[in-house]
Structures are given as structure tokens and as C-alpha cells.
Amino acid sequence: MEFDQLKYFVAIAETLSFTKAAELVPISQPALSYQVKRLEEELGVRLFDRQGRKIALTADGELFLPLAQNLLSRANEAVKVVRNQSGVEVGEVSMGGAPSVATYLVPNLLASFHQVFPRVRVYLIEGGDAHLQQRVFAGSLDFAIVSNPGSPQTLDVMPLGSEDLLVVTSRAHRLADQPTVDLTGLWTEDFVLPEASYHLTAQIIEACRRAGFEPNLAYQTGSLETLKNLVRAGLGVSIMPSIAVSGAGKADLATIRVKGGLTRELYLIRGKDRDLTRAAQVLLTHVRASVVEHMHYPPRGERPMPVAPEPPRPAPAVSTSADQA
């Protein structure tokens, strides 16, 4: 049994898709299928039921999954301990982000971090809050930024502040020139929202219900950029985080504030009582300060944080004759 085979098995089991697992690992799909077949032959059991394009874990697969996850987690911890001894300058960090955060906030944060620590490799996983909570708890992510923090009993939760949610319409819409709108004024509109797995969608539907109506969901999509294009085409209105419709992202769209205000909070979550490598600690500090800077309102009970500082620069290496050899 090989270490990589365990990684491949867990990736397939967590995504229930050979295609998605091949992208995650990464490896070609034929090679992935071959390695899983070898693992099944070595174990003498079938790990997956294959029904056309759909797959599911067998009873043996269900039994083997937590064992494989535990082995991978312990191996990853061992690697982190060893790499931690070499300092911040080199290492790997796995972080997650809700789609709007991963798309519109994180790229600039990573760019500034990479300028200082070019040898730290960062793996960015985009997903729904529940998926990211599970991965942080399992240890496959060092930390994540979410809008729903999950259970504080199993995760360390750090509030990052909140931002406005804005009504978004096409430029030709009847409300496009309005500075504000009451949610009750949207009860006849078709809505274009993210798919149900987004915590944002549940928050928007709940806000509409508090306003006295059930939103008519005309379209739902897993891509915020697709969502904006649907709105541009006049197929409905939406409610989106302000970070998704600022700058160039607002092109050909109108944004309108909700009377009385409508906001969403962001949180940074990490595994409770789990040590981070120095690289992960430095990236977490930089991400936390930078996200707080972008929020419209500070974390509850806290004063606004100052502008995020540059990530601390590593001390220059001292050259030795061995280094120069």
C-alpha cells in the first residue's frame, strides 16, 4: 500500500467524483482509476460502488475512510513538524475560502504575501461553509474564511467584521437609479441567487421572509460571475456581498443599498488546539488583518483595526562557506 494511494482514495471518497478528485490531487483520471484499482486488489475488497457516472462508498469503503483520513492527517502533521524547524521561509499552507472571498479578496492577499515569502506554497480551496468547516476540523485545511463559523466547540472562531449586502440589478432595471430600496419592494421580482449550499443564499431568503415574502428563485448557480451575467441579461435581481460588485466587478450593473441595512459577517476558523507551522501562522495573521481592513464594520465589540501591515520580512540568511559551495 502506497501513501499516494491513500490520498487518492480519500479525495474520491470526499468528492464522490473521479473527475473532481483528479483535479484536486492532481493526477490524470485514468491514472487515478488505476491506482484505486490496485489499492482495492491489495485490500481484497471493493471500496466504491460504480453506477454509471455516480459512485458511492461500499460498506468496506465506509470502514476504511476514517482510518485512511487519520493516517494522512498524522503523516501531514509529521511533515509540518519537520518543516516547521526550517522557519517561515519555506513550507506549505492550506487555506479555504467561501466563494466570494476566494474570488475577490484572497488573490491580492496572496500576491502581497508571495512577494515576501516566495518559497511558501499556498493551496487555496474554495467551497461552501459546511465543506470548509469539515476540512478544517479534519486537519486538511490549516484555516478558512467563512460566513458561517459552525460549532465553536470544535473550532477556534475569530470574527473578522461584516460588510454590506447590496441589491444588484441590470442598468436597465426600474430600480437601477435608486440609492436605497426596501426589501418589501422586491416581492414581485425574480431572484438570481447562488446555489443552496451557499450560506449567503439562506441568509438572503431569511431576510426576504422577515420582510414578509418568499423570494421567487428564477435561477441559481454555483458561480458568482455567472450570477452577475444573468443579472446583466435582465433575468432577475440579486443580493450580493459588496466585495463581489466593486471596481471592475460592477460593470453594467447597478447596486442599491437596503433600507435599514443588510450585512453579512465573516469569520476565520481553525482547528481547536491544533498547532500551525510558522508559515501558516504568518499567513493567518496577514489574511486576518487584511480581511478586517476590507470590511465595512469591525468585529463586534472591537475597535476598527489599523491598515494591515506588510507580512514580516524574514531575516537575511547568513552566508557560509558551505552555502557558497
Side-chain angles (χ1 to χ4, degrees):
M1 185 184 305
E2 299 174 8
F3 184 74
D4 281 346
Q5 290 174 336
L6 294 179
K7 286 170 54 178
Y8 302 153
F9 163 71
V10 170
I12 299 168
E14 290 181 343
T15 62
L16 292 180
S17 167
F18 277 82
T19 302
K20 291 179 181 178
E23 294 172 354
L24 241 160
V25 179
I27 188 178
S28 70
Q29 195 169 329
L32 179 65
S33 300
Y34 173 72
Q35 289 297 335
V36 170
K37 184 178 180 181
R38 282 186 56 199
L39 178 61
E40 289 179 323
E41 289 173 350
E42 184 171 346
L43 294 173
V45 297
R46 281 191 308 108
L47 298 172
F48 297 101
D49 276 329
R50 299 162 178 84
Q51 302 168 353
R53 292 188 176 183
K54 295 183 179 181
I55 62 170
L57 283 167
T58 63
D60 290 318
E62 294 276 6
L63 179 64
F64 188 57
L65 178 58
L67 302 176
Q69 288 172 324
N70 184 51
L71 284 172
L72 289 177
S73 178
R74 293 178 65 180
N76 288 333
E77 287 295 327
V79 170
K80 286 181 179 180
V81 168
V82 173
R83 285 181 174 166
N84 197 30
Q85 300 309 306
S86 64
V88 178
E89 293 82 358
V90 64
E92 295 180 353
V93 185
S94 296
M95 68 170 288
S100 59
V101 173
T103 302
Y104 303 108
L105 270 185
V106 172
N108 287 337
L109 309 187
L110 293 185
S112 59
F113 183 81
H114 180 74
Q115 288 178 352
V116 182
F117 300 109
R119 296 176 63 198
V120 174
R121 180 177 296 177
V122 180
Y123 295 94
L124 174 62
I125 303 299
E126 179 181 332
D129 287 349
H131 177 66
L132 296 177
Q133 291 164 18
Q134 292 169 358
R135 294 199 62 165
V136 170
F137 178 72
S140 61
L141 287 178
D142 292 305
F143 62 89
I145 303 170
V146 297
S147 57
N148 177 17
S151 171
Q153 287 76 33
T154 58
L155 299 169
D156 280 335
V157 178
M158 307 174 205
L160 299 175
S162 55
E163 64 171 333
D164 290 316
L165 295 177
L166 304 174
V167 175
V168 183
T169 72
S170 68
R171 293 299 311 168
H173 193 274
R174 63 182 179 86
L175 297 172
D177 294 326
Q178 299 297 314
T180 61
V181 63
D182 195 307
L183 277 183
T184 56
L186 302 178
W187 73 275
T188 60
E189 299 288 340
D190 290 334
F191 276 77
V192 181
L193 295 182
E195 60 188 16
S197 62
Y198 285 53
H199 180 254
L200 175 63
T201 300
Q203 184 180 355
I204 293 169
I205 292 174
E206 179 58 30
C208 291
R209 288 172 177 168
R210 288 198 304 270
F213 70 97
E214 190 74 22
N216 178 39
L217 303 183
Y219 296 93
Q220 288 187 270
T221 174
S223 164
L224 293 178
E225 286 301 307
T226 301
L227 187 154
K228 288 194 286 187
N229 284 333
L230 292 172
V231 173
R232 288 186 181 105
L235 295 173
V237 303
S238 189
I239 298 178
M240 300 185 71
S242 58
I243 58 171
V245 284
S246 60
K250 188 182 175 181
D252 298 322
L253 293 171
T255 56
I256 310 158
R257 292 186 176 275
V258 176
K259 286 183 181 178
L262 184 62
T263 63
R264 70 138 180 203
E265 297 188 39
L266 291 180
Y267 303 85
L268 190 149
I269 57 173
R270 54 168 289 187
K272 190 177 284 291
D273 302 323
R274 183 176 294 128
D275 292 331
L276 296 178
T277 64
R278 294 180 192 176
Q281 289 169 357
V282 172
L283 178 58
L284 183 151
T285 300
H286 176 58
V287 167
R288 182 183 184 189
S290 299
V291 173
V292 169
E293 177 192 345
H294 280 83
M295 294 295 96
H296 295 121
Y297 314 102
R300 292 181 182 178
E302 295 185 17
R303 294 180 179 178
M305 288 187 66
V307 172
E310 289 291 318
R313 293 184 178 274
V318 178
S319 298
T320 66
S321 57
D323 293 331
Q324 298 167 353

